Amino acid sequence: MTLSDEARERLADVVALQPTKNAELQAQWEMDSGSDVHQYLESELKDYYYRNEDSLICATPEANELVGDEVEGEVNEQVVTAPPLQAATIDVLPDHDAEPQSVVATLHALRDEGFDPEPDVDDVRSALRSLTEKGVVARVQKTVPTYRLAVERDALDVERVDGDE
């Protein structure tokens, strides 16, 4: 997807302000309404943003890479709100530049770390899927899907929350 100069600038705003709300982007982009912001996001930046579990607008890892150099300083640290199993999964996954591991290997790593209650393979698969949707984990398709962090571990700030996935 080729972006116009305006779309690239606005994507840089999303990266710099994330997680953000329609109203904040409305003010930044001098638009008339939050609906206009939503319409613009869907028509021009659909592949480069998502809404997190709190419905806040976040940039995808691809967006961060695409405009990272245009954002003042470094790309902001990525804050992830994660239930205990997801947070523990982030802790045991290989770094973004390492060889990925399977769901079963992740399950064994969690068990070796003493995660309590001991998860089953479906719980781990679900946690990995959720983290992939958040843009924190990359799914690498081999014979079986394998996973690793999509971003540098130091660029993540995991806010642990109580509750289910």
Side-chain angles (χ1 to χ4, degrees):
M1 181 174 179
T2 305
L3 296 176
S4 67
D5 289 342
E6 177 186 56
R8 195 184 243 323
E9 289 174 16
R10 288 184 172 179
L11 183 59
D13 290 338
V14 171
V15 170
L17 298 171
Q18 71 179 324
T20 189
K21 298 177 181 180
N22 284 16
E24 190 172 14
L25 292 175
Q26 177 185 342
Q28 180 74 21
W29 298 343
E30 298 177 356
M31 290 186 158
D32 294 332
S33 69
S35 295
D36 291 344
V37 170
H38 176 74
Q39 184 177 6
Y40 187 87
L41 289 169
E42 282 298 301
S43 65
E44 301 295 324
L45 302 176
K46 186 175 188 169
D47 294 337
Y48 299 105
Y49 89 97
Y50 67 96
R51 291 191 182 266
N52 68 13
E53 55 277 342
D54 297 322
S55 294
L56 296 175
I57 299 163
C58 299
T60 64
E62 293 83 14
N64 286 321
E65 287 177 26
L66 186 64
V67 299
D69 294 337
E70 298 171 22
V71 177
E72 246 179 68
E74 301 234 348
V75 173
N76 289 346
E77 187 174 88
Q78 187 169 353
V79 178
V80 179
T81 303
L85 180 57
Q86 288 181 20
T89 300
I90 290 170
D91 292 342
V92 301
L93 279 175
D95 283 328
H96 73 286
D97 56 354
E99 190 64 29
Q101 69 187 24
S102 69
V103 174
V104 173
T106 304
L107 170 66
H108 290 299
L110 286 164
R111 288 179 177 171
D112 290 348
E113 289 293 316
F115 185 81
D116 190 34
E118 192 170 283
D120 65 24
V121 71
D122 290 332
D123 296 333
V124 174
R125 187 176 290 113
S126 176
L128 287 165
R129 221 178 275 125
S130 294
L131 291 167
T132 300
E133 289 171 5
K134 293 177 183 179
V136 175
V137 169
R139 178 180 176 185
V140 181
Q141 187 69 41
K142 293 193 172 200
T143 305
V144 297
T146 56
Y147 298 85
R148 64 178 168 221
L149 293 178
V151 297
E152 293 183 33
R153 191 175 302 277
D154 293 343
L156 282 175
D157 181 11
V158 179
E159 295 179 356
R160 297 173 193 271
V161 296
D162 292 331
D164 297 330
E165 303 309 301

